């Protein structure tokens, strides 16, 4: 029979607590350099945190609807964010119809939350997203019982979310095809992919957006000209596809030839080899690079403001133009930056989850 040994008199909770404190002290002050850096960092916190905390919270105006309260207060004017939240989140969308973009934002965020669950990664997920975006465009654009709202009146968070998800969702499979085409043994296919990828990567996104917004109307008749929102969406998709293609191509090059030979020995045709053997391994290898590219694309959607689309930043600038308020730009852009940070940080954590899950799934 196993007998439990009595706990040593030294192995007490206080013993473990003091051991942890000793390790922390050694980490912070174990060497002269560590001690100097710790003291310097503590001094910076002592100098910066109290005034920032006073401005953010203690001296701030939180929910007072009176604009004069912000003019008299020495702290942040969060009441402006509270009063203008509808305009900041939904731009110039008609006031009486703002329940529609609110539902769209909740629907997209709920679908994103559902889609990160491994249990939802089935063939039905794509059909769910397609049906959801049919509903989203109906809610945003109207028709069939809803008042019609042109895309020129869309704005704020729904525009950012729609541009991001649709552009990346289409660009990812297109990027895979471009990466495979660039490695093709067929000269015409390979050269065409190289020309497209290098042409797009050699241009800034702003120039591609300007071509889509300003140059296309000069070459196409009005009847064939897509909506400005659609043109911006196409420009973002092409730009993202070119960069994703190069990231995926790096993953394809990292796969050893033995994987291709093993698939050939099993008699797998080209597309089944890519789908079942090569691409899962290649994408797993480049998850950090893919995540970095996608996070950059999330933030690049803010560039559509230069062609007149009302994304979050455009909505913030429009709200700041109200002469009744003292134009608290810092608070407005902190609010907008917090939204972009939440989106980017959430995707970064999802990429970390995929990276940790990769070896187990393999």
């Amino acid at each position: 029979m196993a007998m439990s040994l009595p706990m040593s008199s030294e192995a007490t909770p206080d013993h473990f607590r003091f051991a942890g404190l000793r390790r922390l002290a050694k980490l912070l002050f174990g060497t002269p350099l560590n001690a100097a850096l710790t003291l310097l960092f503590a001094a910076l916190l002592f100098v910066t945190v109290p005034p920032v905390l006073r401005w953010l919270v203690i001296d701030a105006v939180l929910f007072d609807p009176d604009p004069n309260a912000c003019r008299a207060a020495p702290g942040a004017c969060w009441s402006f964010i509270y009063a203008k939240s509808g305009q900041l989140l939904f731009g110039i969308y008609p006031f009486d119809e703002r329940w529609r973009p609110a539902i769209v934002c909740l629907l997209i965020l709920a679908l994103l939350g559902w889609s990160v669950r491994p249990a939802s990664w089935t063939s039905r997920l794509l059909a769910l997203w397609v049906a959801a975006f049919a509903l989203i465009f109906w809610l945003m654009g109207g028709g069939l019982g809803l008042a019609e709202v042109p895309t020129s009146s869309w704005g704020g968070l729904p525009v950012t979310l729609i541009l991001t998800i649709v552009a990346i969702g289409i660009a990812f499979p297109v990027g895979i095809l471009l990466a495979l085409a660039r490695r093709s043994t067929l000269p015409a296919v390979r050269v065409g992919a190289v020309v497209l990828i290098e042409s797009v990567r050699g241009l800034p996104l702003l120039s591609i957006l300007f071509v889509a917004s300003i140059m296309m109307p000069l070459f196409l008749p009005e009847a064939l000209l897509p909506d400005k929102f659609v043109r911006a969406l196409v420009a973002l998709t092409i730009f993202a596809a070119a960069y994703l293609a190069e990231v995926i191509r790096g993953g394809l090059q990292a796969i050893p030839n033995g994987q291709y030979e093993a698939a050939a020995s099993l008699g797998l045709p080209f597309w089944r080899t890519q789908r079942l053997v090569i691409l899962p391994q290649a994408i797993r290898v480049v998850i950090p690079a893919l995540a970095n590219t996608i996070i950059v694309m999330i933030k690049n959607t803010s560039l559509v403001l230069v062609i007149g689309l009302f994304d979050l930043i455009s909505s913030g600038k429009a709200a700041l133009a109200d002469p009744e308020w003292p134009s608290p730009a810092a608070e407005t852009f902190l609010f907008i930056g917090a939204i972009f940070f939440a989106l980017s940080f959430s995707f970064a954590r999802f990429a970390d989850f995929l990276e940790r899950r990769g070896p187990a799934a393999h």
Side-chain angles (χ1 to χ4, degrees):
M1 179 181 296
M3 298 180 60
S4 59
L5 297 177
M7 181 181 288
S8 171
S9 60
E10 295 182 358
T12 63
D14 289 340
H15 171 78
F16 290 115
R17 187 180 304 115
F18 287 126
L21 291 175
R22 284 195 297 269
R23 285 195 297 270
L24 180 61
K26 184 177 181 181
L27 178 66
L28 297 177
F29 301 98
T31 65
L33 178 60
N34 284 354
L37 291 175
T38 300
L39 293 175
L40 177 62
F41 186 69
L44 288 174
L45 290 178
F46 180 77
V47 171
T48 59
V49 169
V52 170
L53 189 62
R54 281 198 301 272
W55 183 81
L56 284 173
V57 180
I58 299 174
D59 296 332
V61 180
L62 298 179
F63 302 109
D64 194 334
D66 185 8
N68 293 321
C70 284
R71 293 187 176 94
C77 180
W78 298 119
S79 60
F80 175 82
I81 305 299
Y82 176 73
K84 295 288 186 178
S85 58
Q87 185 175 359
L88 290 171
L89 291 175
F90 308 127
I92 58 175
Y93 205 89
F95 181 81
D96 294 336
E97 303 291 332
R98 283 181 179 171
W99 61 271
R100 289 155 56 179
I103 292 177
V104 165
C105 292
L106 293 175
L107 178 59
I108 291 176
L109 294 176
L111 278 174
L112 288 173
W114 175 266
S115 300
V116 300
R117 300 169 57 253
S120 67
W121 298 347
T122 65
S123 58
R124 290 178 293 182
L125 183 61
L126 178 59
L128 179 63
W129 272 103
V130 171
F133 264 94
L135 176 62
I136 285 167
F137 280 104
W138 171 65
L139 285 171
M140 292 294 294
L144 299 176
L146 294 178
E148 293 190 5
V149 179
T151 55
S152 58
S153 297
W154 297 9
L157 184 58
V159 168
T160 298
L161 292 175
I162 292 171
L163 288 175
T164 299
I165 294 172
V166 175
I168 294 174
I170 298 175
F172 188 73
V174 173
I176 291 175
L177 293 177
L178 286 174
L180 294 173
R182 185 158 186 173
R183 289 170 53 84
S184 174
T185 57
L186 301 175
V189 174
R190 184 175 64 253
V191 171
V194 169
V195 170
L196 176 60
I197 292 171
E198 297 303 331
S199 298
V200 173
R201 291 204 309 158
L203 295 172
L205 178 56
L206 279 177
S207 65
I208 299 176
L209 288 171
F210 274 122
V211 168
S213 177
I214 299 173
M215 299 298 294
M216 282 186 66
L218 300 178
F219 298 104
L220 291 176
E222 186 69 25
L224 299 178
L225 187 65
D227 183 83
K228 182 185 288 187
F229 184 86
V230 175
R231 300 201 300 269
L233 187 58
V234 171
L236 288 169
T237 301
I238 294 173
F239 188 82
Y243 278 85
L244 291 172
E246 286 300 280
V247 172
I248 294 168
R249 185 170 71 92
L252 293 173
Q253 290 177 335
I255 304 303
N257 289 331
Q259 296 294 312
Y260 293 91
E261 295 169 357
S265 67
L266 294 174
L268 295 178
F270 174 80
W271 289 110
R272 292 195 67 189
T273 298
Q274 297 298 328
R275 182 171 64 88
L276 299 176
V277 180
I278 304 302
L279 283 174
Q281 298 181 71
I283 291 174
R284 188 177 300 132
V285 168
V286 295
I287 283 175
L290 283 174
N292 185 63
T293 304
I294 291 173
I295 288 172
V296 169
M297 285 305 304
I298 292 173
K299 294 179 287 187
N300 277 347
T301 57
S302 62
L303 295 178
V304 298
L305 67 89
V306 301
I307 61 173
L309 292 180
F310 270 76
D311 71 319
L312 274 170
I313 295 179
S314 302
S315 300
K317 289 183 175 181
L320 288 171
D322 189 343
E324 294 185 3
W325 289 87
S327 298
E331 295 89 327
T332 301
F333 289 110
L334 278 174
F335 175 73
I336 294 171
I339 294 176
F340 275 105
F341 175 80
L343 294 174
S344 302
F345 184 78
S346 299
F347 185 80
R349 299 285 68 78
F350 175 61
D352 289 343
F353 162 74
L354 290 180
E355 215 174 343
R356 292 192 304 268
R357 185 179 183 274
H362 180 66

